[in-house]
Amino acid sequence: MPSRITLGAIEADVVFKDIRNVHLTVLPPKGRVRISAPRHMALDTVRVFALSKLAWIKAQRENMVAQEREAPREYLERESHYVWGRRYLLKLTEVNTAPSVELRHRALVLAIRPNADAVIKDAVLARWYRDQVRQRAATLVAEWSRTLGLDAPRVHVQHMKTKWGSCSPGRRSIRLNTELAKKPPGCLEYIVLHELVHLLEPTHNERFKALIRAFLPEWEARRRELNRLPVRHEDWDY
């Protein structure tokens, strides 16, 4: 069971794992704080660490509450959807073959079987968005891996509720959020580079920041853009 510590008016869950470093996460939608810590670390030590990050935690919670969220998708005719930062109007076409998705001018054309409900439409579009990220990320990962002097890692694309991406240095793999297909292309490039740099430096220390700044000087502007854009409506269990 997670332990719990108090940081002034904020409570944080602490989970002890077989890891080397402390990982602090502020989770949407309301800013729940979760800390993963090495098993050998004392709870008081974790609390001292968290208190040193209290200003950052508060800023993250404030930004999270203020960030705009998409309305739930109903998959109706002329509903707005976004692809690589551009707005498209949904156009539904009935077919008796396998479903497909296509961009035509400013329309996102979803060809779907008659009587398909919103759950099916959501699944078809989710697969299409995942393919968009996978295809574009393959090129970016190959190019940036060469630039960084890395062997290209394995890339997984999936829906992620709380992160735009993640890196597993030990497994030489990165994960990317399907939702990145809705954001401007520069946001995907920033996340790809961010995760690749973690193969050189696992933590967000000054060396990590220096590395990413050296290769993408405007990385902070891209991060601000990504965090400013509306995020997907989610149903949460807490």
Side-chain angles (χ1 to χ4, degrees), residues 89-208:
L89 297 181
L90 184 65
K91 179 176 177 57
L92 300 172
T93 302
E94 292 187 353
V95 295
N96 289 309
T97 57
S100 64
V101 182
E102 181 184 0
L103 294 179
R104 296 180 191 165
H105 303 295
R106 298 311 297 269
L108 178 64
V109 182
L110 172 58
I112 197 82
R113 293 182 185 276
N115 301 320
D117 60 17
V119 173
I120 294 174
K121 294 171 185 175
D122 180 76
V124 171
L125 278 175
R127 286 195 297 270
W128 184 80
Y129 276 120
R130 184 172 64 245
D131 289 342
Q132 300 305 301
V133 174
R134 184 180 289 117
Q135 291 165 16
R136 191 165 295 202
T139 300
L140 289 169
V141 168
E143 292 176 350
W144 278 112
S145 293
R146 286 194 296 269
T147 300
L148 296 170
L150 296 168
D151 292 330
R154 294 188 300 276
V155 180
H156 306 281
V157 181
Q158 65 186 71
H159 174 59
M160 304 166 75
K161 277 191 175 184
T162 62
K163 296 180 179 180
W164 292 114
S166 66
C167 176
S168 299
R171 298 178 181 176
R172 303 293 299 176
S173 67
I174 66 172
R175 294 185 182 275
L176 302 171
N177 193 331
T178 302
E179 291 292 295
L180 286 164
K182 300 178 182 179
K183 311 306 178 187
C187 295
L188 173 63
E189 183 176 37
Y190 156 65
I191 294 297
V192 165
L193 179 60
H194 181 116
E195 303 310 335
L196 289 176
V197 170
H198 274 314
L199 295 174
L200 299 173
E201 174 52 60
T203 68
H204 290 108
N205 60 15
E206 290 306 315
R207 178 173 181 259
F208 172 86

Side-chain angles (χ1 to χ4, degrees), residues 14-110:
V14 181
V15 180
F16 292 96
K17 298 181 177 181
D18 293 324
I19 55 178
R20 291 193 297 176
N21 300 300
V22 180
H23 299 284
L24 173 62
T25 308
V26 180
L27 299 168
K30 297 181 180 180
R32 183 166 67 93
V33 180
R34 184 177 67 196
I35 304 170
S36 299
R39 291 191 186 279
H40 62 78
M41 186 172 286
L43 192 60
D44 283 345
T45 304
V46 176
R47 187 172 183 275
V48 170
F49 169 82
L51 286 171
S52 73
K53 303 292 184 180
L54 189 56
W56 180 86
I57 292 171
K58 290 180 177 179
Q60 293 298 306
R61 286 165 62 94
E62 290 172 2
N63 292 339
M64 204 164 283
V65 171
Q67 187 167 19
E68 184 181 354
R69 280 174 165 73
E70 298 176 354
R73 301 290 89 178
E74 298 181 71
Y75 303 98
L76 302 176
E77 190 79 15
R78 296 187 63 78
E79 184 178 62
S80 293
H81 290 260
Y82 287 82
V83 181
W84 300 123
R86 297 185 65 186
R87 176 174 173 262
Y88 292 84
L89 297 181
L90 184 65
K91 179 176 177 57
L92 300 172
T93 302
E94 292 187 353
V95 295
N96 289 309
T97 57
S100 64
V101 182
E102 181 184 0
L103 294 179
R104 296 180 191 165
H105 303 295
R106 298 311 297 269
L108 178 64
V109 182
L110 172 58

